[in-house]
Amino acid sequence: MSQLQVNRINDASGGVLAPISSVMRNRIINGGMDIAQRGTSFTSGANNNDAYVLDRFYILSDGNDAIDVTQTTTVPTGAKFSIGLDVETTNKKFGIAQIIENANCFDAIGGQVTLSFQAKVSSTAKLDNVKCAIVAWSGTADTVTSDIISAWGAEGTNPTLIANATYENSPANLNVTTSFATYSVTANVDTASTSNIIVFIWSDVTDTTAGDFLYITNVQLEKGTQATSFEYRQYTTELQLCQRYFWKPSQGFLMQGISSARIGTNVFFPVTMRATPTMSIATTTPYWESVPYATLGSITSAVADGSKLASAGGVISVTGTFGTTPVQNYPGFFGGETAFSVEL
Amino acid sequence: MYKLQEKNSVLKFNSDGSILSIPFDPANTDYQAYLKWLEEGNTPLPAENT
């Protein structure tokens, strides 16, 4: 029996089609910027340096409030969303990054990888030097210092990275224009003891104009030296990939009075999370409707208690001062905005 | 500022008013940051019973 062995198939116009084996091709999660569990707009307070924005992506910027971030529909042909980085504080370098979990990149470490994405700027008058980097993390696996910047440096000078973070390519001006185009770089991830790969895309200029935008979408990191077409996953698949790191229930919880100052329930995460997550309650006013009284009351100083959680779920509780006092063993509705996070 | 919870977790009070309940899981990066804070010689507030 004859056997056909090929590494890739080119289409008739010379473009590269997806590899025959496309399993786990794109190591970036939410590269199409579709998933926005934390919201679609991040302004003062939510746009700090090192803050997560659209799922799996976080800001790296020279100071807080350097950019406002939005999920936008300013997109290249065929895409649905992009991330819009809107200059808020002028004359600062800024960008986005994603840390890839060791379990999702271990096989790419030690070989060639290619980063590709589509980008454009609203004006090249100032935003005329956009760069990208494939960064190796050689510290403990999945114990990454997410703010990998030690010093942002002068305009056009690549930022200095912290210890255990190493540029695997030589970042250079991509000459991004006001029209979407695909940019790619290839690097050999050969830093000794690399345990995680970080993708970093940024504006390297220090004379920016407020209101200028950098748009980025279809971010992909794959093994090999070729940038293949962006891998669109099913929405549910992409959402579940994100929920391994962050989950924000869209509704509240039916909880039970444990004491006059505590309510609780059990919870099952939609997917098993990377590790036991941090539980939080947003500062927006939570509320509690106790069934015996059928009275809606606010909660002051609501404090999340996730001490009985594990990666798949467990028991959560909320303590505080309740407008309507919880009654032991009676249920009620807790409407606090709760989230579970175990980002890298 | 950190404050111990009843067991296996610690609270973190952020400047924006939000409060995190951080598990004692070595793989949790918030817990890693807490350990670093302890290494710097800091001490969390004691737990309260509720």
Side-chain angles (χ1 to χ4, degrees), chain B:
Chain B
M1 175 54 69
Y2 291 95
K3 180 179 181 180
L4 291 170
Q5 281 190 293
E6 288 179 50
K7 66 171 187 177
N8 300 328
S9 67
V10 63
L11 295 173
K12 182 184 180 188
F13 297 84
N14 289 325
S15 57
D16 65 357
S18 62
I19 303 171
L20 308 180
S21 176
I22 301 169
F24 289 174
D25 183 337
N28 184 299
T29 49
D30 293 319
Y31 180 59
Q32 292 161 11
Y34 169 67
L35 292 178
K36 186 177 178 184
W37 184 80
L38 289 179
E39 286 176 4
E40 292 168 353
N42 298 297
T43 305
L45 297 171
E48 295 175 9
N49 290 325
T50 53

Side-chain angles (χ1 to χ4, degrees), chain A residues 50-53 56-60 95-99 146 198:
Chain A
D50 206 23
Y52 273 88
V53 283
R56 297 297 296 122
F57 285 96
Y58 66 97
I59 296 171
L60 285 175
I96 56 170
Q98 182 172 135
I99 303 166
S146 52
I198 304 164

Side-chain angles (χ1 to χ4, degrees), chain A residues 310-330:
Chain A
S311 58
V315 175
I316 60 171
S317 61
V318 177
T319 61
T321 304
F322 294 79
T324 303
T325 305
V327 178
Q328 197 166 0
N329 299 327
Y330 275 86

